[in-house]
Amino acid sequence: MIERTTIASLDKFEDQKVTVCGWVEKIRDQKTVQFIVLRDETGSAQLVREKVDRDPVCELISALPAESVVSVEGVVKLDPRVKLGGLELKVEAIDVLSKAETLPINEETSLDKRLDWRFIDLRSRRNRLIFEVQTELERSYRKTWESEGFIEIHSPKLMAAASESGAELFRVDYFDTSAYLAQSPQFYKQMAMAAGFNKVFEIGPVFRANPSFTSRHDTEFTSVDVEISWIDSHEDVMNFEQHLLTEMLGHISETFQDEIFSTFGVDVVVPKLPFPRIKLSDAIDLVERSGHKVERTDGDLDPEGERRIAEFVQREFGHQFVFLTDYPATVRPYYHMRHPENHTLTKSFDLVWKGLEITTGAQREHRYDILVAQAEEKGLELAPLQFYLDFFRFGMPPHGGFGMGLTRVLMILLGLKNVREVTFLYRGPNRLSP
Amino acid sequence: MIERTTIASLDKFEDQKVTVCGWVEKIRDQKTVQFIVLRDETGSAQLVREKVDRDPVCELISALPAESVVSVEGVVKLDPRVKLGGLELKVEAIDVLSKAETLPINEETSLDKRLDWRFIDLRSRRNRLIFEVQTELERSYRKTWESEGFIEIHSPKLMAAASESGAELFRVDYFDTSAYLAQSPQFYKQMAMAAGFNKVFEIGPVFRANPSFTSRHDTEFTSVDVEISWIDSHEDVMNFEQHLLTEMLGHISETFQDEIFSTFGVDVVVPKLPFPRIKLSDAIDLVERSGHKVERTDGDLDPEGERRIAEFVQREFGHQFVFLTDYPATVRPYYHMRHPENHTLTKSFDLVWKGLEITTGAQREHRYDILVAQAEEKGLELAPLQFYLDFFRFGMPPHGGFGMGLTRVLMILLGLKNVREVTFLYRGPNRLSP
């Protein structure tokens, strides 16, 4: 590796000669002295060079474009008057490793144009923090899965048929036939239950051919999926999910609380257990009594309803999360199990965090005959589903699970409004590049 | 959760009534007694029921198809004469949760037909072990990345243009235009370097429209990708990779050595550091002196050559791994950096493990002008590459990395011959289902 001292550790090298490497954030080229602010992945520091006529180092600095990548040799001087970390580096030599052109974006640039130049946009400490938090968030999930003996699966993204409704499906030219991109690992994580894997998780891409341009939609995103066998009901699935999220938020609070607050102005609140649970029908009553007429006629809640129920839960229980349970079968897929005492209701739930839905989960119907009947009741053609229905013909344990959008959780955690900001490279109907 | 005792913990419940849940592996329905072998995710145990005329439990057992899922209540009796774990469960009640049809496959069935019924095939302890090892293998990689401050990325799988050569590319209908499935995260992990992410990794699917049916090829597989900034040369990349693999093999050896040996008959050897490194031209000399004429004319080694060089390294250095370095530019992509003293050779490597290539890595060319010149030298059209070339125009640090097929590593680790066996659900030119 290039022998370099990271900027965060410069204070340990007082009066010593070191090499620092990074991006030129700013240059102030004054009459008698030149300053460079240099940035690496650990922070920024001020470099200084006394200005002397015809000094090749000074001339190089004068001509150096911002955001060029340089390697700089110099001596560390601690100086409490320097605002940036209380030290500066007296420059002795500079090597330009990669000269930058004039930047196409600045802090005023619109989000869409910043996405055109995402690699420059991601250089800010603010944006890098998003992905440090994401890395830590996934790490925390994995610790919970590890301690509970989960197996990780990588399910295929190329399928012969639709995994869900058949709408919003991307078609792929597949040799002499067509394949489709998986909209979720739903069928395959259930297959792992048929295989006796007991508890599985997957973090991977899913694809939705959704032509909408809202701040919450994208055509490709990272999904966090969990499936568990030997459950009694969807209550067990909710119990596991609230555990997973509480562990994660505790961990993020410990590691990033202060920086998230100073950067994004949001508190990371570690939720109390259990999360409040409200039947969907009760939630709709509550919302309507609060003066909002739910506009959907299919029995589901609308986004304004989700916001109001979240307000109610915050007020009554002091909680940011609420499980809405027992959705009507009309708004749920055929494979959600129904309540034995009321076949119009499913053993399913959504999880709402700060007014936004982050999860759909359920106990799945594991009895072949009932599953087939429910598919027929929905008017589905069975032939394309047969490969999935087959999973239930040779011994399937009771099971359930949930899917959770990684970027959506990250967006809410950081108080951001647009999924594009928390996605490494956003994909939408008009965006496939860079 | 269903209140159940796992089979592996039954010995702690002598003379107590417990419930076990699982798959009916075998039934012996004798004149005076009935035996069931029941399997859950922790092992198998024998259940026993004295046969009495018109006993409904006995009648249920007599009619129970193999692989049905049942919940069984009974009393644990320790008995050293019972081969299976030295205990049995005296059955008091059985609840059939999911009745199995007659199985379509057995131990004699061909691999291809077993893949049709993959969820049944995966029920064997042998096959589940593969995915337990895979889970642990990835966990180990992640521990190394965590300790070295890597950021995890999820790069998009939908692209506007080819990530590599343009061959073997799957086309997707994307609203009114076309998208392509990423053949590797190559460009995007390099973009993370331009963004100042310093060190990144990704584990995710990649797609290759390769029409071949060999035991080593698939159209979708899980790729492990690493990219590191501030390297001096490809030697740094090799140093990191050998560290990653050695930690992983140490970890797998500790956790699974015995079971891997008893199941697959292979030893998990923890390699010594550093791994041997041989220049490709020297390797070809060695192979040809051993009596094998390398058939490829492009200056690369052929598979028989890889086997012979692995034999040589095992013999001379007692090592299962060998880095082959300094590939000619003719067989490497334009973005591999060339040696300054010899522009026909790249600062690149392959890693061969037990005679099979598992990795390609390199220092990347980070200087825009040289990168463009190398692309032109290869006769590439620049326009579709411009989004990638742009990454190098605004400050790019020296960097390099490698990609490694997850299933290929797993296959070699377990001494298996076919990538289909170590893939959760294999995808090939003729296989998109289940």
Side-chain angles (χ1 to χ4, degrees):
Chain A
M1 303 296 288
I2 293 175
E3 290 237 6
R4 66 174 179 129
T5 304
T6 59
I7 284 171
S9 64
L10 281 179
D11 58 355
K12 297 190 191 79
F13 294 87
E14 184 172 11
D15 295 329
Q16 292 180 51
K17 190 185 278 193
V18 299
T19 299
V20 291
C21 293
W23 283 258
V24 172
E25 205 163 271
K26 223 183 286 178
I27 293 182
R28 276 184 298 142
D29 195 358
Q30 301 181 343
K31 266 193 185 163
T32 57
V33 67
Q34 297 175 312
F35 295 101
I36 300 174
V37 176
L38 190 79
R39 183 189 68 242
D40 72 10
E41 78 280 4
T42 68
S44 298
Q46 180 166 289
L47 320 184
V48 62
R49 176 84 181 179
E50 267 182 54
K51 210 159 174 183
V52 176
D53 261 2
R54 304 211 176 169
D55 171 34
V57 174
C58 288
E59 285 172 359
L60 190 153
I61 292 173
S62 294
L64 196 58
E67 293 299 313
S68 293
V69 169
V70 295
S71 166
V72 183
E73 209 177 276
V75 175
V76 179
K77 292 290 171 190
L78 299 197
D79 182 347
R81 291 169 306 173
V82 178
K83 278 188 199 157
L84 206 55
L87 57 80
E88 58 185 14
L89 191 82
K90 301 250 176 242
V91 175
E92 299 194 347
I94 294 195
D95 187 10
V96 181
L97 302 176
S98 173
K99 200 170 181 169
E101 298 177 29
T102 306
L103 293 192
I105 59 168
N106 58 41
E107 285 163 18
E108 319 277 275
T109 308
S110 70
L111 177 59
D112 198 55
K113 185 152 184 211
R114 282 192 283 125
L115 294 183
D116 287 340
W117 303 97
R118 183 64 165 161
F119 56 102
I120 302 174
D121 191 45
L122 287 173
R123 287 179 186 176
S124 69
R125 176 62 201 143
R126 172 190 183 277
N127 282 344
R128 227 174 80 94
L129 177 60
I130 296 171
F131 296 92
E132 289 177 12
V133 171
Q134 178 181 283
T135 301
E136 211 50 47
L137 185 160
E138 291 186 50
R139 192 167 284 152
S140 164
Y141 286 165
R142 285 171 181 278
K143 276 192 186 138
T144 301
W145 290 323
E146 176 175 6
S147 70
E148 308 220 356
F150 278 70
I151 294 181
E152 180 163 11
I153 60 168
H154 299 286
S155 68
K157 307 310 159 201
L158 293 167
M159 303 177 73
S163 51
E164 299 275 344
S165 67
E168 304 193 353
L169 205 56
F170 284 119
R171 195 195 67 81
V172 182
D173 288 343
Y174 197 79
F175 305 104
D176 296 332
T177 178
S178 290
Y180 300 90
L181 293 180
Q183 294 168 295
S184 93
Q186 182 63 41
F187 289 177
Y188 298 128
K189 61 183 182 169
Q190 291 191 255
M191 192 190 93
M193 300 300 99
F197 278 27
N198 193 32
K199 297 174 179 180
V200 300
F201 71 92
E202 173 163 13
I203 299 183
V206 297
F207 305 90
R208 307 273 166 96
N210 184 332
S212 68
F213 288 93
T214 80
S215 62
R216 313 254 170 79
H217 288 94
D218 32 24
T219 53
E220 174 179 356
F221 64 91
T222 305
S223 180
V224 175
D225 279 89
V226 163
E227 202 75 18
I228 311 170
S229 282
W230 310 115
I231 62 168
D232 245 340
S233 77
H234 55 315
E235 297 283 333
D236 294 324
V237 182
M238 290 188 272
N239 289 344
F240 179 74
E241 185 172 16
Q242 66 185 11
H243 168 58
L244 188 75
L245 284 166
T246 304
E247 290 290 312
M248 180 276 281
L249 287 166
H251 185 65
I252 296 293
S253 166
E254 270 169 34
T255 42
F256 286 109
Q257 176 74 268
D258 293 346
E259 200 175 358
I260 289 176
F261 187 79
S262 64
T263 309
F264 300 104
V266 285
D267 251 327
V268 179
V269 177
V270 185
K272 289 169 294 182
L273 288 175
F275 292 5
R277 297 174 190 193
I278 301 179
K279 289 201 171 80
L280 182 70
S281 55
D282 294 341
I284 291 175
D285 280 354
L286 280 164
V287 164
E288 301 212 324
R289 267 188 280 148
S290 82
H292 171 67
K293 178 86 193 104
V294 175
E295 274 161 34
R296 294 177 61 151
T297 54
D298 57 8
D300 201 349
L301 215 52
D302 58 358
E304 172 60 20
E306 284 175 355
R307 273 189 293 277
R308 291 200 177 211
I309 202 72
E311 272 171 34
F312 169 82
V313 169
Q314 182 65 56
R315 202 168 57 234
E316 295 294 313
F317 304 104
H319 214 287
Q320 295 184 339
F321 289 90
V322 56
F323 282 115
L324 301 177
T325 68
D326 300 1
Y327 279 69
T330 47
V331 296
R332 290 306 211 196
Y334 66 96
Y335 53 78
H336 282 198
M337 188 180 268
R338 311 280 177 88
H339 277 283
E341 70 279 12
N342 181 349
H343 280 263
T344 69
L345 293 182
T346 58
K347 295 171 82 171
S348 75
F349 62 89
D350 273 10
L351 177 58
V352 174
W353 185 19
K354 296 190 194 178
L356 288 172
E357 179 233 303
I358 59 168
T359 288
T360 295
Q363 175 162 14
R364 324 300 184 185
E365 181 51 66
H366 66 278
R367 294 159 297 184
Y368 180 75
D369 295 343
I370 300 175
L371 183 64
V372 169
Q374 291 184 179
E376 281 171 337
E377 188 193 302
K378 290 256 181 197
L380 294 174
E381 221 189 307
L382 294 188
L385 294 175
Q386 195 55 51
F387 82 97
Y388 167 69
L389 298 172
D390 283 345
F391 301 161
F392 300 81
R393 290 171 52 207
F394 304 94
M396 175 66 106
H399 66 280
F402 61 86
M404 174 160 59
L406 180 66
T407 37
R408 195 172 264 229
V409 168
L410 198 57
M411 181 177 82
I412 300 170
L413 175 65
L414 302 176
L416 297 172
K417 298 289 172 225
N418 198 321
V419 83
R420 294 164 175 81
E421 288 210 61
V422 293
T423 307
F424 181 64
L425 274 169
Y426 161 76
R427 289 294 180 251
N430 284 344
R431 181 165 291 282
L432 279 170
S433 192
Chain B
M1 304 294 292
I2 294 176
E3 290 238 6
R4 65 176 180 128
T5 303
T6 59
I7 284 171
S9 64
L10 280 180
D11 57 355
K12 298 189 191 79
F13 295 86
E14 184 171 11
D15 295 328
Q16 292 179 52
K17 190 186 278 192
V18 298
T19 300
V20 292
C21 294
W23 283 257
V24 173
E25 205 164 271
K26 223 181 285 176
I27 293 182
R28 275 184 299 141
D29 195 359
Q30 301 181 346
K31 267 196 185 161
T32 59
V33 67
Q34 295 175 313
F35 296 102
I36 299 175
V37 177
L38 190 79
R39 183 188 69 241
D40 71 12
E41 76 282 4
T42 67
S44 298
Q46 180 166 290
L47 321 184
V48 63
R49 175 86 182 179
E50 267 181 54
K51 210 158 173 184
V52 176
D53 259 3
R54 304 211 177 169
D55 171 36
V57 173
C58 288
E59 284 172 359
L60 190 154
I61 292 174
S62 294
L64 197 57
E67 293 300 312
S68 294
V69 169
V70 295
S71 166
V72 183
E73 210 177 275
V75 176
V76 179
K77 292 289 171 192
L78 298 198
D79 181 347
R81 291 168 305 173
V82 179
K83 280 189 197 157
L84 205 55
L87 57 80
E88 56 186 13
L89 192 81
K90 302 248 176 244
V91 175
E92 300 195 346
I94 293 195
D95 187 11
V96 180
L97 303 176
S98 172
K99 200 169 180 170
E101 298 177 27
T102 307
L103 293 192
I105 59 170
N106 59 40
E107 285 162 19
E108 319 276 275
T109 307
S110 71
L111 178 59
D112 199 54
K113 183 149 185 213
R114 282 193 283 126
L115 294 183
D116 287 340
W117 303 98
R118 183 64 165 159
F119 57 102
I120 301 173
D121 190 45
L122 288 173
R123 288 179 184 175
S124 69
R125 175 64 201 144
R126 172 190 183 278
N127 283 344
R128 227 174 80 94
L129 177 61
I130 295 171
F131 296 92
E132 289 178 11
V133 171
Q134 178 181 283
T135 300
E136 211 50 45
L137 184 159
E138 291 186 49
R139 192 167 283 153
S140 164
Y141 285 166
R142 286 172 179 276
K143 279 193 184 135
T144 300
W145 290 323
E146 176 175 6
S147 70
E148 308 221 354
F150 279 69
I151 294 180
E152 179 161 11
I153 59 169
H154 299 287
S155 67
K157 308 309 160 203
L158 292 167
M159 306 178 71
S163 52
E164 301 274 343
S165 67
E168 303 192 354
L169 205 57
F170 285 119
R171 195 194 67 81
V172 182
D173 289 341
Y174 196 79
F175 305 103
D176 295 332
T177 178
S178 289
Y180 300 91
L181 293 180
Q183 293 168 296
S184 91
Q186 182 62 40
F187 289 177
Y188 298 127
K189 61 184 181 168
Q190 291 191 254
M191 192 190 93
M193 301 298 100
F197 278 25
N198 193 34
K199 297 174 179 178
V200 299
F201 71 91
E202 175 164 11
I203 300 182
V206 297
F207 306 90
R208 307 272 167 96
N210 184 330
S212 69
F213 290 92
T214 80
S215 62
R216 313 254 171 80
H217 288 93
D218 31 24
T219 53
E220 174 179 355
F221 63 93
T222 306
S223 179
V224 176
D225 279 89
V226 163
E227 202 74 17
I228 310 170
S229 281
W230 311 115
I231 61 168
D232 245 341
S233 77
H234 56 313
E235 297 284 333
D236 293 324
V237 182
M238 289 188 273
N239 289 345
F240 179 74
E241 186 173 14
Q242 66 186 11
H243 169 57
L244 188 75
L245 284 165
T246 305
E247 290 290 314
M248 180 276 282
L249 287 166
H251 185 66
I252 296 292
S253 165
E254 271 169 35
T255 42
F256 286 110
Q257 177 73 270
D258 292 346
E259 200 174 358
I260 289 176
F261 187 79
S262 65
T263 309
F264 299 104
V266 286
D267 250 327
V268 179
V269 177
V270 184
K272 287 169 296 183
L273 288 174
F275 293 4
R277 297 173 190 195
I278 302 179
K279 289 200 171 81
L280 181 69
S281 56
D282 293 342
I284 291 176
D285 280 355
L286 279 164
V287 164
E288 300 211 325
R289 267 188 280 148
S290 82
H292 170 66
K293 178 85 192 104
V294 175
E295 274 161 35
R296 294 177 62 149
T297 54
D298 56 9
D300 201 351
L301 215 52
D302 58 358
E304 173 60 20
E306 284 175 355
R307 274 190 293 275
R308 289 199 179 213
I309 202 71
E311 273 171 35
F312 169 82
V313 169
Q314 182 65 56
R315 202 168 58 235
E316 295 294 314
F317 304 104
H319 214 288
Q320 294 184 339
F321 290 90
V322 55
F323 282 115
L324 301 177
T325 68
D326 301 0
Y327 278 69
T330 47
V331 296
R332 289 306 209 196
Y334 66 96
Y335 54 77
H336 282 196
M337 188 181 269
R338 311 281 176 89
H339 277 282
E341 70 279 11
N342 182 347
H343 280 262
T344 69
L345 293 182
T346 58
K347 296 172 81 171
S348 74
F349 63 89
D350 273 10
L351 177 58
V352 173
W353 184 18
K354 297 190 194 176
L356 288 173
E357 180 234 302
I358 58 168
T359 288
T360 295
Q363 177 163 13
R364 323 298 184 186
E365 181 53 66
H366 65 279
R367 295 159 297 184
Y368 181 74
D369 297 343
I370 301 176
L371 184 63
V372 169
Q374 290 184 179
E376 281 171 339
E377 189 192 301
K378 290 257 181 196
L380 295 174
E381 222 190 307
L382 295 188
L385 294 175
Q386 196 54 51
F387 83 96
Y388 167 68
L389 298 172
D390 283 345
F391 301 162
F392 299 80
R393 289 171 53 206
F394 304 94
M396 175 67 106
H399 65 279
F402 60 87
M404 175 160 58
L406 179 68
T407 35
R408 195 172 265 230
V409 168
L410 198 58
M411 181 178 82
I412 300 170
L413 174 65
L414 302 178
L416 297 172
K417 298 289 174 226
N418 198 322
V419 83
R420 293 165 175 79
E421 287 210 64
V422 292
T423 307
F424 180 64
L425 273 170
Y426 161 77
R427 288 293 179 253
N430 284 344
R431 181 165 290 282
L432 280 170
S433 193

